[in-house]
Amino acid sequence: MCGIVGYIGTKKAVPILLEGLSKLEYRGYDSAGIAVFEDGNISITKDEGRVNHLQDLLNNKPTNANIGIAHTRWATHGKPSEINAHPHADNSKKFSVVHNGIIENYSDIKKFLMDNEYKFLSDTDTEVIPNLISYYYDSTNNLLEAISLACKDFKGSYAIEVICSDCPDRIIVAKKDSPLVIGTSKEGNYIASDIPAVLSHTKDFYLLEDNDIVEVFPSKLNFYNQNLELISRKTEKISWDASSIEKNGFEDFMLKEIYEQPKSIRETIGFKLNKEKIELDNISFTKEFLSNINKIFIIACGTAMHAGLATKLTFENLCKIPVEVDMASEFRYRNPLIDKKTLAIFISQSGETADTIGALKLAKEKGATTIALSNVIGSSITREADIYLYTHAGPEIAVASTKAYTAQVTLLNILALYFAEILEYSDTKLIKELKYELLQLPNKIDDILKNYKEVIPIAKDIYSASDVFFLGRGIDYPVAMEGSLKLKEISYIHSESYAAGELKHGPIALIDNNFPVISIVTDEMLSSKTISNIQEVVSRGAKTIIVTNQDLSKNFDYIIKIPKTHKYLTPILSVIPLQLLAYYISKEKGLDVDKPRNLAKSVTVE
Ligand code: M6R
């Protein structure tokens, strides 16, 4: 989704802004723009297209400016075009603004401003921001006050940077429900919607909170609340390494991240299993509290929701508490039955997914105890929840989530074990076995990755298919869902996942010669049943690809063997060949694996 970068300091702004924008390209965008302040004027350069196109445009406009704001836009209101790209100016051209989020009441504000003789050029919601600031500036003659009054009028979400030709020594930023950080250094201050954009310049960051307004000077920051009372904020040291967001010799971020999974699982486990009983930072539940919980919700979107589905069984079996897994976008509007006896777990790699945050707020309002699992330190979801836990997957840049998913499934299993120990689950042998198997996962993933070449001929065989089915039963079904999502998002092949037993209730009508059917068969108790379902598609001419940890007959087109582990942990292993398959199919089709069309890494709008 949209990205923001800003710089004010002693260095030249444009190279810093362009570098920051290119680091945000992975989020998905369709246009880019920059505004710099020089010689009393604001100069805006923007267009539809990639950051290197913006760079070409800027090459014709050399500037030594050391103040600037920049943006990559992912269209919500109005098509991708130069006019709709950010930065946007007000009618007097005194103010220039970039914005992430959505101003939900923009049409009311636009009407109000048009009644006051303001004219609009674009179709965006953002254009009301500089104009409303300008409207309030006319009566207050005070930039900070004008921005604060405008922010009070906005409904929806925003992270904004504002520059004003009357105040050439500062950038003003404000945020609500959309992330914004300020990195500090001796050479100046760096603003960004995401830390990776400016991580090569500093590791000291202020993570802004909702309704913060900040005056950013080259060597000073003034923090205010929305009523313009001075407030204080603390910096956080970010431990991520700038090189961890480079490709390190891999052709694509997605491939690099697939290969980082042994490490990210090791780091997510960390020291959690070292003591006799699991200890988790930030949580200290009692038996009394957990025994009182009568329902667990696991809520998330996309891949993160699949991680929830893949661990429902572990929570239910080890904790004997019913678990419901739901999509955040559905959960938040269906008036779910929640009370003080509900525990609600929210999973989000980015920690900024609008629907997941909305669902979390709802659960909290209704009295649930909320736990957030995120991969991003200080992300919005971790600040909103009662308790937070981190996956330590490191920055995930590719839009298609891989290492975040396996880290989430790992952490959720550990959380279920932590609950089970508090609840004094009787099968201590199983708890021991699961802990042992968790520690074996990184080596087992390494073994699967060593055999990556097995996947390439399959990719070459099926890349031109127009439809693919993924099948699984029990614990394999969520993995089928994840494999299918991975394939469709980066290869644009239509694919669907089914619980294997459902196939004959309709979808089997679509099977004909060479229709690729990818099945996951890992649960010994269910495998004979899944195999029977696979035989039904073999009889109708399907091309069968099976991911399994069992010795199956050679009656299928391709079999990918994976190591055995405990059933609850198999979703961490069985997904790896599916990630690789999606990757190599996308490569075979010559597509941009890391930046699939229409998608964004962090979905900060509903
Ligand atoms: O940042 P989040 O984990 O909240 O993101 C949720 C989904 O948008 C995300 O998992 C999405 O489905 C991925 N592109 C899948 O690869």
Side-chain angles (χ1 to χ4, degrees), residues 7 40-41 136 195 213 215 235 245 304 349 358 436 453 467 479-480 578:
Y7 174 72
N41 289 312
Y136 283 124
I195 290 168
I213 300 178
E215 282 179 306
T235 47
I245 49 174
Q349 186 284 129
Y436 172 81
K453 282 195 179 137
D467 310 273
V479 180
L578 305 182

Side-chain angles (χ1 to χ4, degrees), residues 492-510:
Y492 316 148
I493 295 177
H494 166 243
S495 84
E496 294 193 45
S497 52
Y498 289 102
E502 273 296 295
L503 207 62
K504 55 186 164 302
H505 297 289
I508 202 165
L510 292 172

Side-chain angles (χ1 to χ4, degrees), residues 300-306 347-354 356 373 381 396 398-402 404 408 482 485-486 489 596 599-603:
C301 302
T303 289
M305 197 224 11
H306 296 159
I347 316 164
S348 174
Q349 186 284 129
S350 61
E352 304 298 344
T353 300
T356 311
L373 262 64
I381 195 176
E396 192 180 63
V399 166
S401 182
T402 53
Q408 285 157 355
E482 175 58 10
L485 176 64
K486 226 64 323 158
E489 73 181 316
L599 290 177
K601 181 64 184 163
S602 178
V603 185

Side-chain angles (χ1 to χ4, degrees), residues 497-526:
S497 52
Y498 289 102
E502 273 296 295
L503 207 62
K504 55 186 164 302
H505 297 289
I508 202 165
L510 292 172
I511 302 288
D512 59 9
N513 266 351
N514 287 325
F515 191 119
V517 177
I518 302 173
S519 309
I520 303 100
V521 185
T522 68
D523 185 343
E524 274 167 37
M525 301 266 291
L526 297 173

Side-chain angles (χ1 to χ4, degrees), residues 144-145 147-149 151-152 211-213 223-231:
L144 212 51
E145 225 177 296
I147 292 175
S148 141
L149 287 168
C151 287
K152 283 182 180 165
N211 300 317
D212 282 358
I213 300 178
F223 293 88
Y224 302 91
N225 64 18
Q226 229 180 37
N227 295 325
L228 297 184
E229 290 151 349
L230 272 169
I231 50 172

Side-chain angles (χ1 to χ4, degrees), residues 38-295:
E38 204 180 20
D39 302 332
N41 289 312
I42 294 174
S43 156
I44 296 181
T45 310
K46 59 182 187 172
D47 205 356
E48 187 188 344
R50 296 283 179 195
V51 173
N52 29 18
H53 171 56
L54 179 68
Q55 166 124 48
D56 291 343
L57 298 177
L58 286 159
N59 287 344
N60 300 325
K61 290 182 167 182
T63 167
N64 290 322
N66 28 41
I67 303 179
I69 58 176
H71 192 261
T72 46
R73 172 174 186 256
W74 187 82
T76 55
H77 296 65
K79 63 179 185 185
S81 68
E82 182 196 343
I83 298 227
N84 289 334
H86 301 208
H88 287 279
D90 69 307
N91 287 181
S92 70
K93 309 268 181 263
K94 197 176 270 186
F95 301 93
S96 181
V97 169
V98 298
H99 164 226
N100 280 5
I102 291 182
I103 303 299
E104 285 166 7
N105 58 339
Y106 84 100
S107 30
D108 294 344
I109 298 176
K110 193 166 177 174
K111 182 170 178 312
F112 167 81
L113 289 167
M114 285 167 84
D115 290 347
N116 283 277
E117 312 290 309
Y118 281 78
K119 305 227 164 356
F120 286 84
L121 304 173
S122 77
D123 303 317
T124 65
D125 53 332
T126 301
E127 203 182 355
V128 302
I129 301 176
N131 284 303
L132 191 63
I133 293 172
S134 158
Y135 170 82
Y136 283 124
Y137 189 75
D138 283 350
S139 57
T140 60
N141 207 23
N142 179 315
L143 178 58
L144 212 51
E145 225 177 296
I147 292 175
S148 141
L149 287 168
C151 287
K152 283 182 180 165
D153 286 350
F154 298 143
K155 293 206 171 83
S157 56
Y158 57 82
I160 55 172
E161 290 179 319
V162 186
I163 53 175
C164 167
S165 54
D166 284 353
C167 305
D169 57 347
R170 74 200 75 171
I171 300 173
I172 310 255
V173 302
K175 77 141 256 165
K176 184 179 156 283
D177 291 335
S178 202
L180 202 63
V181 300
I182 304 175
T184 61
S185 82
K186 282 190 195 129
E187 296 84 34
N189 289 314
Y190 301 83
I191 302 155
S193 50
D194 293 61
I195 290 168
V198 292
L199 191 58
S200 56
H201 302 284
T202 177
K203 295 210 160 175
D204 297 314
F205 283 89
Y206 290 95
L207 312 174
L208 301 193
E209 294 189 14
D210 279 351
N211 300 317
D212 282 358
I213 300 178
V214 191
E215 282 179 306
V216 186
F217 296 95
S219 53
K220 189 173 75 165
L221 298 166
N222 295 331
F223 293 88
Y224 302 91
N225 64 18
Q226 229 180 37
N227 295 325
L228 297 184
E229 290 151 349
L230 272 169
I231 50 172
S232 65
R233 292 275 175 256
K234 282 199 203 115
T235 47
E236 300 235 9
K237 212 9 108 251
I238 299 300
S239 59
W240 289 351
D241 189 340
S243 72
S244 63
I245 49 174
E246 306 296 337
K247 285 189 198 151
N248 282 348
F250 283 89
E251 214 170 306
D252 304 277
F253 280 112
M254 182 179 175
L255 193 61
K256 174 183 171 247
E257 288 159 9
I258 289 174
Y259 276 83
E260 280 173 345
Q261 292 178 104
K263 178 169 177 247
S264 69
I265 287 178
R266 242 177 235 122
E267 295 193 356
T268 296
I269 296 174
F271 300 110
K272 298 181 182 74
L273 307 181
N274 282 19
K275 297 213 176 128
E276 202 189 319
K277 292 234 161 106
I278 295 175
E279 284 177 13
L280 299 176
D281 288 347
N282 309 321
I283 311 194
S284 51
F285 281 165
T286 59
K287 186 172 180 193
E288 190 195 356
F289 171 79
L290 277 179
S291 311
N292 208 26
I293 294 294
N294 61 14
K295 176 86 168 264

